């Protein structure tokens, strides 16, 4: 059956809590496709949106999603889900549809159990506000408009990892709609193997419509209000060697817990290349100033330190959430910081900017987290909870003719940072790339065999991608 026939079938089943958009010229249809990146963005045959205004409509939307998936599977109609609009894998051609969860959302905090239940398309900023208001926090990304559920499912790398681990480790339970269109609970008691899969690979096993996530008192950050210190230190490229020397010590300092980004960027207003350090420090302003004094001693072009809290954690990065243009984001796990590899990125980044006009907002970033000292749930399908160093590449450009050229610079930078690492030890963050071999994304033969076995059990036809089959 084609999409028109499928839509006709659904029209007879839809509750008032849902609607279908099929006209590409319709303003709401177009607005629904305004995503973080236009790279590989396709126009679907339909967009099914939920309208959540009351608890009853929330329940109706969940039941409607079950019916929609059931019909799609029965009629072999492909589909993808979308919440925050950041994923490059939530796009599909006109033979399929998008299940848009952006209006189907709910947050329910339980202070007695230190958990929060997140449903549908809740975004990071919405979760941060809700938790901060009640004196709680959890792992979050560095983007206010990132969807909470997909972020947790894929691993959930976080600046708060030194305190409470990664996102997937803090998933207590999940509710998902399977390929059989059943609503299934995954907990430690019911379907525990599915819960394990959800903690790092949940997107391949069903439509996860609800997560129960562990939360923590703000005091775990180090003070009753959960305040932390953000810094910015900007240097000339010719200072990079000295900055690398200092950063090698700061990132491994066992006395001062921190996380942050060591970047090569083009700084406004003239978009000239600089080296920038943006740390997040869990302590007082005085302690932060002392911990990063070695950076100040190098004579940065500019430096700043400010106090932030959990609610405003990512506000300073809102410009990175701008919609449109062409962007790709990849993350590569590393065993440590190798200054020689990082230094060679300066030339690669410079050539990217000179070769591809309009790519000046592209950045190469080494991300670090102090090792987490707390008890953690490390038996996850994600399997990379012990990786404290990541190389992040954002390529951001305006000319579609540059797709292949920009991709080559992305690959060259990742290859440089992997120099000296054996291929068997390569790590790719699953949330950023499905192009790399699956052995790079899910480490260890035993983990992969378990995931493949569970995939055959829960999604043998590959309704939720053919990954792991």
């Amino acid at each position: 059956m084609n999409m028109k026939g499928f839509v006709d079938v659904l029209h007879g089943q839809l509750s008032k809590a849902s609607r279908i958009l099929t006209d590409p010229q319709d303003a709401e249809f177009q607005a629904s496709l305004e995503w973080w990146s236009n790279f590989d963005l396709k126009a679907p045959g339909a967009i099914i949106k939920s309208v959540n205004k009351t608890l009853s409509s929330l329940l109706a939307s969940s039941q409607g999603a079950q019916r929609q998936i059931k019909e799609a599977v029965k009629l072999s109609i492909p589909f993808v889900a979308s919440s925050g609009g950041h994923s490059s894998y939530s796009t599909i051609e006109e033979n399929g549809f998008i299940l848009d969860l952006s209006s189907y959302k709910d947050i329910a905090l339980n202070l007695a159990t230190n958990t929060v239940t997140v449903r549908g398309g809740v975004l990071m900023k919405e979760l941060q506000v809700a938790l901060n208001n009640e004196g709680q926090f959890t792992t979050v990304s560095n983007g206010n408009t990132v969807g909470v559920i997909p972020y947790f499912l894929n691993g959930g790398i976080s600046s708060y990892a030194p305190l409470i681990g990664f996102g997937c480790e803090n998933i207590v339970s999940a509710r998902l709609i399977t390929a059989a269109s059943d609503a299934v609970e995954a907990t430690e008691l019911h379907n525990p193997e599915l819960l394990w899969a959800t903690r790092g690979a949940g997107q391949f096993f069903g439509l996860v419509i609800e997560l129960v996530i562990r939360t923590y008192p703000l005091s775990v950050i180090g003070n009753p209000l959960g305040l932390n210190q953000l810094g910015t230190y900007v240097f000339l490229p010719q200072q990079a060697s000295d900055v690398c020397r200092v950063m090698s010590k700061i990132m491994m300092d066992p006395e001062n817990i921190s996380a942050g980004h060591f970047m090569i960027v083009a700084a406004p207003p003239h978009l000239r290349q600089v080296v920038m350090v943006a740390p997040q420090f869990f302590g007082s302003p005085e302690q932060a100033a002392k911990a990063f004094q070695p950076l100040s001693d190098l004579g940065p072009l500019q430096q700043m330190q400010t106090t932030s809290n959990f609610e405003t954690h990512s506000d300073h990065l809102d410009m990175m959430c701008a919609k449109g243009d062409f962007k790709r984001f990849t993350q590569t796990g590393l065993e440590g910081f190798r200054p020689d590899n990082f230094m060679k990125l300066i030339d690669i980044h410079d050539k990217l900017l000179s070769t591809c006009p309009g790519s000046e907002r592209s950045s190469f970033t080494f991300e670090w987290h102090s090792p987490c000292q707390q008890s953690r749930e490390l038996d996850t399908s994600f399997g990379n909870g012990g990786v404290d160093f990541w190389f992040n590449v954002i390529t951001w450009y305006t000319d579609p003719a540059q797709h292949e050229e920009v991709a080559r610079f992305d690959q060259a930078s990742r290859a440089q940072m992997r120099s000296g690492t054996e291929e068997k030890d390569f790590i790719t963050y699953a949330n950023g790339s499905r192009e790399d071999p699956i052995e790079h994304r899910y480490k260890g033969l035993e983990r992969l065999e378990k995931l493949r076995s569970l995939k055959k059990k829960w999604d043998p036809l590959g309704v939720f991608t053919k990954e792991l089959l």
Side-chain angles (χ1 to χ4, degrees), residues 93-228:
E93 295 177 335
E94 61 182 1
N95 66 322
F97 69 93
I98 293 175
L99 193 54
D100 186 340
L101 303 175
S102 60
S103 296
Y104 163 61
K105 59 178 69 178
D106 184 60
I107 301 172
L109 181 62
N110 188 331
L111 292 174
T113 60
N114 282 324
T115 60
V116 61
T117 301
V118 176
R119 299 182 179 94
V122 173
L123 303 182
M124 285 294 163
K125 182 66 172 183
E126 295 166 338
L127 178 63
Q128 288 166 215
V129 171
L131 293 185
N132 194 77
N133 287 343
E134 298 296 333
Q136 297 281 299
F137 82 108
T138 191
T139 44
V140 291
S141 77
N142 288 316
N144 282 336
T145 58
V146 170
V148 171
I149 287 180
Y151 161 81
F152 272 81
L153 296 182
N154 286 278
I157 298 173
S158 175
S159 297
Y160 293 97
L163 303 176
I164 56 175
F166 289 164
C168 64
E169 302 167 30
N170 286 289
I171 295 176
V172 176
S173 65
R175 186 169 185 265
L176 61 162
I177 301 173
T178 68
S181 71
D182 296 323
V184 173
E185 301 289 338
T187 71
E188 295 288 359
L189 296 178
H190 302 285
N191 303 308
E193 78 288 347
L194 186 57
L195 176 62
W196 177 86
T198 299
R199 292 170 169 161
Q203 69 277 19
F204 302 137
F205 291 88
L207 175 64
V208 180
I209 57 174
E210 176 181 302
L211 287 181
V212 176
I213 298 165
R214 192 173 293 110
T215 66
Y216 303 82
L218 288 174
S219 58
V220 171
I221 295 176
N223 56 81
L225 297 179
L227 302 179
N228 57 80

Side-chain angles (χ1 to χ4, degrees), residues 345 348 407-417:
L345 290 179
I348 297 174
R408 280 194 284 271
F409 282 105
D410 181 331
Q411 293 162 5
S413 66
R414 297 174 69 203
Q416 181 58 59
M417 290 301 281

Side-chain angles (χ1 to χ4, degrees), residues 157 166 330-338 341 365-369 382-393 413-430 432-433 436 440-441 443:
I157 298 173
F166 289 164
T330 59
Q331 291 185 277
T332 302
L334 300 172
E335 59 185 12
F337 180 63
R338 293 177 174 171
N341 286 350
T365 301
F366 184 87
E367 177 177 353
W368 84 91
H369 314 113
F382 175 58
N384 292 313
V387 180
D388 295 313
F389 304 103
W390 297 86
F391 176 54
N392 308 336
V393 178
S413 66
R414 297 174 69 203
Q416 181 58 59
M417 290 301 281
R418 281 171 164 165
S419 179
T421 301
E422 294 185 36
E423 185 173 355
K424 66 179 179 63
D425 296 321
F426 283 4
I427 297 171
T428 298
Y429 186 45
S433 174
D436 283 10
H440 295 178
R441 292 177 273 149
K443 303 301 295 181

Side-chain angles (χ1 to χ4, degrees), residues 129-409:
V129 171
L131 293 185
N132 194 77
N133 287 343
E134 298 296 333
Q136 297 281 299
F137 82 108
T138 191
T139 44
V140 291
S141 77
N142 288 316
N144 282 336
T145 58
V146 170
V148 171
I149 287 180
Y151 161 81
F152 272 81
L153 296 182
N154 286 278
I157 298 173
S158 175
S159 297
Y160 293 97
L163 303 176
I164 56 175
F166 289 164
C168 64
E169 302 167 30
N170 286 289
I171 295 176
V172 176
S173 65
R175 186 169 185 265
L176 61 162
I177 301 173
T178 68
S181 71
D182 296 323
V184 173
E185 301 289 338
T187 71
E188 295 288 359
L189 296 178
H190 302 285
N191 303 308
E193 78 288 347
L194 186 57
L195 176 62
W196 177 86
T198 299
R199 292 170 169 161
Q203 69 277 19
F204 302 137
F205 291 88
L207 175 64
V208 180
I209 57 174
E210 176 181 302
L211 287 181
V212 176
I213 298 165
R214 192 173 293 110
T215 66
Y216 303 82
L218 288 174
S219 58
V220 171
I221 295 176
N223 56 81
L225 297 179
L227 302 179
N228 57 80
Q229 313 305 316
L230 302 179
T232 303
Y233 300 82
V234 181
F235 300 90
L236 293 170
Q238 51 264 41
Q239 295 176 280
S241 179
D242 287 334
V243 180
C244 284
R245 173 177 51 80
V246 169
M247 287 305 299
S248 293
K249 297 178 181 179
I250 287 176
M251 291 186 289
M252 299 302 295
D253 184 354
E255 301 299 324
N256 294 296
I257 300 176
S258 69
H261 300 88
F262 184 12
M263 299 177 280
I264 300 170
V265 299
H270 304 295
L271 297 178
R272 292 175 180 168
Q273 189 186 61
V274 297
V275 174
M276 184 165 70
V277 181
Q280 180 172 348
F281 183 82
F282 302 101
S284 69
E286 294 76 19
Q287 290 170 323
K290 182 179 179 181
F292 299 112
Q293 184 62 44
L295 287 174
S296 299
D297 292 342
L298 295 178
L301 293 174
Q302 177 184 343
Q303 71 177 70
M304 180 188 70
Q305 181 180 310
T306 186
T307 299
S308 181
N309 63 22
F310 181 66
E311 179 178 330
T312 61
H313 163 75
S314 300
D315 286 3
H316 62 295
L317 296 172
D318 273 349
M319 70 283 192
M320 302 303 294
C321 292
K323 296 181 179 181
D325 294 332
F326 301 102
K327 310 183 191 81
R328 298 201 72 184
F329 180 46
T330 59
Q331 291 185 277
T332 302
L334 300 172
E335 59 185 12
F337 180 63
R338 293 177 174 171
D340 290 346
N341 286 350
F342 186 85
M343 290 290 294
K344 291 174 183 177
L345 290 179
I346 294 174
D347 184 55
I348 297 174
H349 184 264
D350 186 59
K351 288 179 179 177
L352 166 62
L353 270 54
S354 61
T355 304
C356 302
S359 66
E360 292 82 7
R361 286 170 289 184
S362 300
S363 61
F364 296 163
T365 301
F366 184 87
E367 177 177 353
W368 84 91
H369 314 113
S370 295
C372 181
Q373 303 300 320
Q374 304 302 315
S375 175
R376 301 168 68 179
E377 177 55 74
L378 292 176
D379 183 18
T380 65
S381 58
F382 175 58
N384 292 313
V387 180
D388 295 313
F389 304 103
W390 297 86
F391 176 54
N392 308 336
V393 178
I394 294 181
T395 49
W396 184 340
Y397 54 105
T398 56
D399 185 355
Q402 296 175 347
H403 286 334
E404 293 185 5
E405 189 69 30
V406 170
R408 280 194 284 271
F409 282 105

